Amino acid sequence: MTIGLEDGASLHPEMPPGMPSGVAAIDVAAERARTAGVTQRHYLNAAGAGLMSDAVLERTIRHLRLEQRIGGYAAATELADEVDGVYASAAALLGADADEIACFDTATTALRSIFDALRLGPGDTVIAPRSSYVSQALRLLTLRRHAGVRLDVVPNDATGAMDLTALDRALEQATGRVVVSAVHVPTSSGLVEPVAAIGALARDRGALTVLDATQSVGQIDIDVRQVACDALVTTGRKFLRGPRGTALAYLRRGALDGLGGWAPDVRGSAWTGAGEWTTDGTARQLETWEAAVATRLGLGVALREALDRGMAATESHLAGLGDRLRRALAATDGVALADPPAARSAIVTFTVAGLPGKEVARRLGEARIDTIAVPAGHAQWDLGARGLESVVRVSPHVYNDEADIEALLGAVAEIAAEAR
């Protein structure tokens, strides 16, 4: 039985409607077979932390055991080629070169490192969308308050995405060095920003684009050359299904020419004299020497799994699943979609009349259905501006089957009915 769908619609996740010709279907059964976490709960929170595959977990643990036997440095030296392979896999996924990839512990750290290296000061301009996440928004507000940087938050158009005409106007009026702090998919909705158009406008105006892709890498096929961004950051734990505490950054070759990392480290710099040092021109100039090698190797497995699965197939599958969820939830009495019209991702947000999002997520959790409530404090320029105190966020992945979707829709319908 399907719940809340139009007649003739299907929830069958293997074959989303409108899949492009020649794109293979996702084998959901195979994904579930290699993901132990699906056996106990209906897990629909990939945008928070996707479920690792068994192989990702085993690779991480195996390296920790090696470190236990021979020490962390010796273990890293022994696996140096495999560690280098993580950069190659990330580059293949993003359409970059391996020397344009850097590894971090979190995407927030990566963003901070990039913006520190840009050395923005009085009179320089940062342009940001309303879809900015709290960590980056606070970073930009701090630059405005303490470094004298001009901050221009661009309004949305009728679709809920960044208004490109307003962006072009902001770029024309910007002063000093100009950086567009773009977002691909926000934390607060299923919106997909027009990042290729944003990057093209910025490049035409001589501005740099730094893209927050934490909610898109792993669910949307991304080519950094086509997007025309100068830097991109993403986390490993979400749609990439890597271990927590892993992240990646792409830094276009030459983007920091004449600047270099704000806090040089032996990882990407050489101390050549009492007061002199040289900096590696690659993205690794932003890294630090110390790192959790075990989780980085686990991320490497997750990257290879994403490549093997195929990002075109993954994007088509997840976009179709998100569309079906939006239709079903919109047809449920007492439920209102919170996604803007430009929502095209697997992330779906909604509210239930009479209940705060945290309470809805709690009740779903009692039914062994994992979602999350996103408060306005995580997205004031978006949720706060729309007068939404919180939304419930659902984010399926390739390991979710029809039983997971049915369980969610049935439970939301019951919660909404009780609230009425």
Side-chain angles (χ1 to χ4, degrees):
M1 180 181 76
T2 58
I3 301 173
L5 288 179
E6 299 172 0
D7 291 343
S10 171
L11 276 170
H12 197 261
E14 288 86 345
M15 293 298 293
M19 177 177 282
S21 175
V23 175
I26 295 296
D27 188 343
V28 175
E31 296 293 343
R32 292 178 67 80
R34 55 175 166 255
T35 309
V38 302
T39 60
Q40 301 297 318
R41 304 182 66 81
H42 302 291
Y43 193 85
L44 294 157
N45 188 24
L51 293 178
M52 291 185 292
S53 73
D54 299 343
V56 170
L57 175 63
E58 289 306 316
R59 186 66 195 91
T60 303
I61 293 173
R62 183 153 53 91
H63 188 76
L64 289 173
R65 290 187 176 126
L66 181 63
E67 288 188 351
Q68 183 187 40
R69 291 197 304 274
I70 68 174
Y73 274 21
T77 299
E78 186 171 309
L79 276 299
D81 288 345
E82 187 178 347
V83 172
D84 284 343
V86 177
Y87 295 84
S89 295
L93 191 76
L94 297 174
D97 294 327
D99 67 350
E100 296 176 303
I101 300 297
C103 290
F104 292 90
D105 56 346
T106 71
T108 299
T109 302
L111 277 170
R112 185 184 303 125
S113 297
I114 291 167
F115 270 83
D116 284 350
L118 291 173
R119 293 170 171 78
L120 299 175
D124 293 333
T125 304
V126 176
I127 300 171
R130 304 197 72 83
S131 56
S132 300
Y133 180 61
V134 53
S135 297
Q136 181 64 350
L138 294 179
R139 173 66 175 147
L140 300 182
L141 289 167
T142 300
L143 284 173
R144 184 176 69 179
R145 177 179 294 180
H146 297 295
V149 173
R150 295 182 64 239
L151 175 59
D152 193 344
V153 181
V154 176
N156 295 333
D157 61 19
T159 73
M162 178 185 260
D163 187 318
L164 296 177
T165 300
L167 170 61
D168 195 41
R169 187 181 310 115
L171 286 164
E172 183 180 13
Q173 297 172 351
T175 60
R177 288 185 296 147
V178 184
V179 179
V180 177
S181 174
V183 174
H184 199 178
V185 175
T187 194
S188 51
S189 77
L191 168 69
V192 179
E193 293 274 22
V195 289
I198 291 169
L201 281 173
R203 187 156 293 179
D204 287 346
R205 294 286 189 177
L208 295 176
T209 299
V210 179
L211 180 62
D212 177 355
T214 55
Q215 301 286 18
S216 58
V217 174
Q219 72 150 320
I220 295 177
D221 197 5
I222 300 173
D223 186 312
V224 291
R225 312 297 186 199
Q226 293 179 3
V227 170
C229 62
D230 299 282
L232 173 151
V233 302
T234 191
T235 183
R237 77 176 191 273
K238 296 177 184 279
F239 285 95
L240 279 177
R241 302 176 60 190
R244 190 174 183 183
T246 58
L248 298 166
Y250 154 77
L251 182 67
R252 178 181 56 79
R253 191 179 297 107
L256 292 182
D257 281 355
L259 296 172
W262 178 254
D265 181 86
V266 68
R267 172 64 168 162
S269 298
W271 196 8
T272 56
E276 301 295 330
W277 72 95
T278 60
T279 299
D280 187 340
T282 72
R284 297 190 195 189
Q285 66 184 284
L286 299 177
E287 292 186 1
T288 57
W289 171 259
E290 192 52 45
V293 177
T295 51
R296 191 165 292 181
L297 292 174
L299 176 61
V301 174
L303 288 165
R304 291 193 294 275
E305 289 179 343
L307 288 166
D308 290 343
R309 186 166 57 243
M311 282 312 306
T314 300
E315 178 178 353
S316 181
H317 175 86
L318 293 180
L321 191 51
D323 287 344
R324 290 197 300 278
L325 279 170
R326 275 184 276 275
R327 291 197 303 270
L329 289 166
T332 303
D333 289 342
V335 175
L337 282 181
D339 282 348
R344 295 182 289 107
S345 72
I347 297 174
V348 180
T349 59
F350 65 93
T351 61
V352 173
L355 290 176
K358 189 173 183 179
E359 176 62 15
V360 176
R362 185 190 68 79
R363 294 190 189 184
L364 288 171
E366 290 178 346
R368 297 186 300 112
I369 302 167
D370 289 289
T371 62
I372 196 168
V374 179
H378 285 187
Q380 285 289 1
W381 294 340
D382 176 23
L383 297 182
R386 289 193 277 155
L388 294 170
E389 294 184 1
S390 65
V391 295
V392 182
R393 188 183 69 195
V394 178
S395 48
H397 212 326
V398 293
Y399 43 66
N400 288 118
D401 63 6
E402 189 164 344
D404 293 328
I405 305 304
E406 292 287 351
L408 169 73
L409 296 176
V412 170
E414 289 180 8
I415 291 170
E418 292 172 1
R420 292 198 304 277

